[in-house]
């Protein structure tokens, strides 16, 4: 199953988002975002499984914690931006 | 030893605070740097404390809760976010040097809302007169010298009426006198973590409801490509490494406070100070600065003694195991207002960990010292 990275504005936002998702039964791990284009470097993101993506995005948007960007993590460790 | 100098810093703290500091120093790295376990432990600790502070003070967004290194640091951020050279600023006659010195450094024009001790209606009227000419107001919630509880809700309503942003110095009230930050609708509230909040030294908190100017610029752990401080909180005001061990302790101090009904600590400290006042009032050579209205005074009481200087009295009390503070308490303005600038005062300040036996002992020792002088 694919893993998605939801880029957050800051570490604090990532933590808030993660806690909110965990309360809704979605496993969401806070981790450093890969150094990707369009991100200012040293960002934080939430990593979650493909099966939870839609539910997570909906919950985050409702809580005004929507991600700034979304990336899908490839098997080789690289990440590609996705647009939903 | 009987510690009656909690207005300076809390010496006695819940055991959980000490354990948390010890645990943090052994297990936590720096938040917002690595993503390894010790870094994430630190990040979770800082986040937990931030959320808990937001809950305790009713701050709707925990990102608006900023960690500083003490109240002075927090006040400097707040003041320098609002005040520019030449601005007119209204303050009370009881402000600490942590307010007065930054204002003078900036070159603000300071207007004092003058009023006698323990007369809240007078200070409200005084603010009403000067606020129309001011672009900022600063008010201490409780005087660190006299324990005078100022009417911050009424003052904040006045400031709102005149469109003047208000900064509250909650150094002597945080953790003791509950206040609702969202309901107050002020620009900032600044406080130390190491007094009423029972955390370690090296901690402070700034609650924000206004645009902010960073006091310190540097790394925040995120958005590293940005060559300027980020616009968003809390990162904008938290450059450099956090005092994670301090925040861990502060978190436990706050848990301790929140485990009790809201006014428990204030009631306890007021009860102790009332008993102290009752006992000290029987010593004819002592002048006490107290309010007839107990709602105007916290667990901080200042005295002067005819027989000796306040420094000598405090020294002798210290030799007898009673810890107090003498002098001007970094608040010469408060002393000018109350008429004690030439003598200073001896300040007794109580904490949740003092008890009535200690108050009785302090009174007995005070009487003995004065009788033998």
């Amino acid at each position: 199953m694919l893993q998605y990275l939801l880029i957050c504005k800051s570490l604090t936002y990532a933590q808030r988002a993660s806690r909110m998702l965990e309360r809704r039964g979605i496993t969401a791990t806070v981790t450093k975002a890969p150094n990707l284009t369009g991100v200012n470097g040293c960002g934080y993101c939430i990593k979650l499984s493909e099966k939870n993506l839609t539910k997570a995005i909906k919950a985050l948007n409702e809580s005004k914690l929507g991600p700034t960007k979304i990336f899908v993590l490839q098997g080789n460790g690289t990440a590609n931006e996705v647009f939903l | 030893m009987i510690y009656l100098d909690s207005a300076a810093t809390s010496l006695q703290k819940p055991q959980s605070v000490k354990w948390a500091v010890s645990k943090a120093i052994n297990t936590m790295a720096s938040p917002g740097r690595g993503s390894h376990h010790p870094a994430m432990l630190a990040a979770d600790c800082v986040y937990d404390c931030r959320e808990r502070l937001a809950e305790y003070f009713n701050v709707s967004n925990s990102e608006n809760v900023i960690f500083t290194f003490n109240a002075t640091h927090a006040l400097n951020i707040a003041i320098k976010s609002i005040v520019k050279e030449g601005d007119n600023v209204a303050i009370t006659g009881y402000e600490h040097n942590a307010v007065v010195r930054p204002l003078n450094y900036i070159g603000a024009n300071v207007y004092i809302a003058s009023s006698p001790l323990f007369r809240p209606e007078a200070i409200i009227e005084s603010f009403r007169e000067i606020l129309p000419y001011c672009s900022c107001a600063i008010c201490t919630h409780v005087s660190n010298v006299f324990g005078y509880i100022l009417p911050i809700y009424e003052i904040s309503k006045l400031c709102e009426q005149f469109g003047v942003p208000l900064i509250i110095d909650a150094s002597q009230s945080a953790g003791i006198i509950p206040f609702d930050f969202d309901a107050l609708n002020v620009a900032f509230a600044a406080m130390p973590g190491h007094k009423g909040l029972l955390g370690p030294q090296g901690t402070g908190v700034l609650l924000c409801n206004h645009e902010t100017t960073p006091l310190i610029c540097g790394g925040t752990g995120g958005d590293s490509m940005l060559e300027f401080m980020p616009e968003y909180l809390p990162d904008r005001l938290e450059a450099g490494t956090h005092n994670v061990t301090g925040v861990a302790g502060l978190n436990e101090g706050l848990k301790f406070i929140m485990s009790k009904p809201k006014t428990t600590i204030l009631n306890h400290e007021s009860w102790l100070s009332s008993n102290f006042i009752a006992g000290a009032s029987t010593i004819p050579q002592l002048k006490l600065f107290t309010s007839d209205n107990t709602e105007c005074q916290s667990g901080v009481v200042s005295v002067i003694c005819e027989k000796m200087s306040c420094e000598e009295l405090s020294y002798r009390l210290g030799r007898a195991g009673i810890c107090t503070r003498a002098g001007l308490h970094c608040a010469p303005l408060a002393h000018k207002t109350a008429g004690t600038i030439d003598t200073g005062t001896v300040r007794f300040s109580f904490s949740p960990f003092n008890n009535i036996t200690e108050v009785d002992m302090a009174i007995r020792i005070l009487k003995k010292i004065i009788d033998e002088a």
Side-chain angles (χ1 to χ4, degrees), chain B residues 236-259:
Chain B
R236 182 169 177 73
L237 299 179
E238 292 184 358
T241 302
H242 288 86
N243 177 5
V244 174
T245 50
V247 170
L250 175 60
N251 199 19
E252 290 302 319
L254 196 53
K255 276 188 203 168
F256 175 86
I257 291 162
M258 291 171 78
S259 70

Side-chain angles (χ1 to χ4, degrees), chain B residues 112-135:
Chain B
I112 300 174
S114 192
S115 69
L117 261 180
F118 305 121
R119 294 263 316 275
E121 70 288 348
I123 203 163
I124 293 167
E125 280 318 301
S126 197
F127 262 108
R128 199 191 301 277
E129 283 172 21
I130 62 176
L131 278 175
Y133 310 103
C134 295
S135 57

Side-chain angles (χ1 to χ4, degrees), chain B residues 4-5 14 18 44 74 90 95 125 211 270 273 284 310 363 372:
Chain B
L4 301 180
D5 196 22
K18 303 171 200 177
D44 285 341
E95 300 307 322
E125 280 318 301
E211 277 175 33
S270 296
S273 63
C310 62
I363 294 292
E372 287 173 1

Side-chain angles (χ1 to χ4, degrees), chain B residues 145-195:
Chain B
V145 181
F146 300 106
Y148 171 26
I149 303 173
L150 280 79
I152 57 167
Y153 282 91
E154 289 83 350
I155 292 169
S156 83
K157 282 201 179 73
L158 265 184
C159 287
E160 214 174 330
Q161 207 181 303
F162 288 105
V164 174
L166 175 63
I167 300 170
I168 297 290
D169 176 1
S171 292
Q172 299 295 331
S173 63
I176 302 167
I177 304 176
F179 64 85
D180 182 326
F181 183 70
D182 272 5
L184 261 182
N185 197 25
V186 297
F188 295 100
M191 63 202 76
H194 63 93
K195 297 188 197 215

Side-chain angles (χ1 to χ4, degrees), chain A residues 20-69:
Chain A
M20 187 273 290
L21 291 173
E22 296 273 348
R23 280 195 296 272
R24 295 189 190 206
I26 300 171
T27 304
T29 312
V30 175
T31 188
K32 287 206 88 150
N35 204 15
L36 304 155
T37 56
V39 175
N40 284 322
C42 300
Y44 276 84
C45 63
I46 298 165
K47 188 190 284 185
L48 45 77
S49 158
E50 180 183 20
K51 70 176 186 216
N52 291 322
L53 180 65
T54 310
K55 192 173 161 197
I57 301 276
K58 183 169 184 284
L60 289 170
N61 286 337
E62 279 167 9
S63 306
K64 298 194 176 113
L65 291 170
T68 56
K69 286 176 186 283

Side-chain angles (χ1 to χ4, degrees), chain A residues 9-13 15-16 19 30 32 40-42 44, chain B residues 32-34 43-44 47-48 63 221-225 232:
Chain A
K9 202 161 81 164
S10 68
L11 170 58
T12 306
Y13 273 84
Q15 287 172 296
R16 182 123 77 98
R19 303 275 175 108
V30 175
K32 287 206 88 150
N40 284 322
C42 300
Y44 276 84
Chain B
R33 273 52 176 181
D44 285 341
Y47 181 80
D48 281 344
E63 289 84 36
D223 278 342
S224 296
M225 295 287 285
Y232 51 82

Side-chain angles (χ1 to χ4, degrees), chain B residues 3 45 65 133 161 163 194 208 218 227 235-236 246 254 262-263 273-274 280 302 312 314-315 321 328 333 338 358 366:
Chain B
Y3 187 77
C45 171
V65 175
Y133 310 103
Q161 207 181 303
H194 63 93
C208 301
E227 291 181 351
D235 302 57
R236 182 169 177 73
L254 196 53
K262 282 199 162 181
T263 53
S273 63
S274 304
S302 259
E312 181 62 25
S314 185
Y315 171 72
L328 298 180
L333 181 58
E358 290 179 326
L366 197 49

